[in-house]
Amino acid sequence: MKKQTVDSRPAGPKPWYDPRIRSIFFQFIAIALVFWGGWTLVDNTLSNMESRGISTGFGFLNETAGFGIIMSLVPYDATMTYGRTFLVGLMNTLLVSAMGIITATILGFIIGVARLSSNWLVAKLALVYIEVIRNIPLLLQIFFWYFAVLGSLPSPRQSVEVGGTFFLNNRGLYLPEPMPQEGFGLVWSAIIVAIVAVIGLRTWAKKRQLATGQIFPTFKVGVAILLALPVVAYLAAGTPLEWELPALKGFNFGGGITIIPELAALWIALSLYTASFIAEIVRSGILSVSKGQTEAAKALGIPNNLTLRLVVIPQAMRVIIPPLTSQYLNLAKNSSLATAIGYPDLVAVFMGTTLNQTGQAVEVVAITMAVYLTISLTISLVMNIYNRAVAIKER
């Protein structure tokens, strides 16, 4: 008889003890629970709305709004639809967010550099600004600028006037409005050509500097190109631009461009508040650069302004950009405080008046949340692309 042999080799590990399979299983369970919870919430909401006779869907966007809006970047009147009110609110939100980001960035970088100034007075003034502004709630600052500063300006009939062209009162700032005439397209073409030329000049100057070590005055020449080409095109086209001046009509001004006090107060408060945080981010980024870099630049005889611009700031940007992105996101979301002073942003116009008149709470809130999510993701995407572009490349 043949002797039976028993395989004494250890059995392979069971699938349950494989960390990879176990992690996939638990992730699948988690995703299934999330979808189940979301579906239950949606189904319960729809059932409750149906039992109360509340209609659902986005058809209300095609209904007539029937209310006015004090500021609109696109044509709008009360006979237009709720979809149009959404567009008006969205444009106003994007406007104040973009204005705030640009102003806060410029002011924050200036104050951040001033914070490290060797001049005692400049450094202390920057410190006082940062500590005072960032420790006062943003909503209080908005109220301060709106009620205490802009609200105390004179009435339209007693407006502060500059050369019969600019007028400032408690209803806003009135500016001349440019009215392009036939032939102004040549000026737009010149502006585009000038921008392309400056980008090409900057690229050439960088390559020249790497090859020869010589610095080309890109900024001065670029500014000259941006100003000279459009001016030459403007004169060649026969000055195809007229100006509509604001004029007092009854109890208020008409014509021209109007910057309403709600926009001004929100813009100033958002810019100053966010700039105080950006200043500290810039300061920390500059301090993260080794002092040896500055000392080496001084040893080579490089002026302080060029050392800061060409040596310190480029290396500090890798530290500055991530928290700077967070501040941009905070500014965009903080713009929703506009409803406190009546600025017609997305929250005030769409999630406020439109929701109250239509009763479509779920749809309106969902659209508003989706818009802010999209704005935040777009800002993050742009900043991440920029971060990769300026990152220090290892050899």
Side-chain angles (χ1 to χ4, degrees), residues 35 48 55 57 93 122 170 176 198 223-224 226 246 264 284 286 317 319-320 349 357 361 369 386:
F35 274 99
N48 290 335
S55 61
T93 294
V122 171
N170 57 12
V198 169
V223 171
L226 287 174
S284 63
I286 292 175
M317 290 304 290
V319 177
I320 292 173
V349 172
Q357 292 192 180
M369 291 173 62
Y386 178 69

Side-chain angles (χ1 to χ4, degrees), residues 79-162:
T79 62
M80 294 185 177
T81 63
Y82 289 116
R84 194 69 169 184
T85 65
F86 166 75
L87 179 60
V88 171
L90 174 61
M91 295 295 291
N92 289 342
T93 294
L94 294 177
L95 173 66
V96 73
S97 298
M99 292 170 59
I101 286 174
I102 294 172
T103 309
T105 302
I106 296 172
L107 189 59
F109 266 80
I110 293 173
I111 296 173
V113 173
R115 179 78 173 79
L116 299 172
S117 173
S118 57
N119 186 302
W120 183 88
L121 180 60
V122 171
K124 293 305 177 184
L125 287 176
L127 174 62
V128 169
Y129 169 84
I130 292 170
E131 294 302 326
V132 170
I133 296 298
R134 72 175 181 171
N135 287 299
I136 297 177
L138 176 57
L139 185 59
L140 291 182
Q141 295 189 41
I142 294 174
F143 284 155
F144 168 77
W145 287 103
Y146 184 65
F147 293 108
V149 178
L150 300 179
S152 61
L153 291 173
S155 63
R157 291 186 180 277
Q158 285 78 41
S159 297
V160 178
E161 179 183 341
V162 179

Side-chain angles (χ1 to χ4, degrees), residues 166-206:
F166 303 90
F167 301 89
L168 177 64
N169 55 61
N170 57 12
R171 295 187 182 180
L173 174 63
Y174 298 86
L175 312 169
E177 181 179 3
M179 308 291 289
Q181 305 298 312
E182 185 179 356
F184 196 78
L186 181 63
V187 180
W188 286 118
S189 300
I191 293 173
I192 295 173
V193 171
I195 293 174
V196 173
V198 169
I199 295 174
L201 176 68
R202 186 171 181 270
T203 304
W204 171 82
K206 275 191 172 182

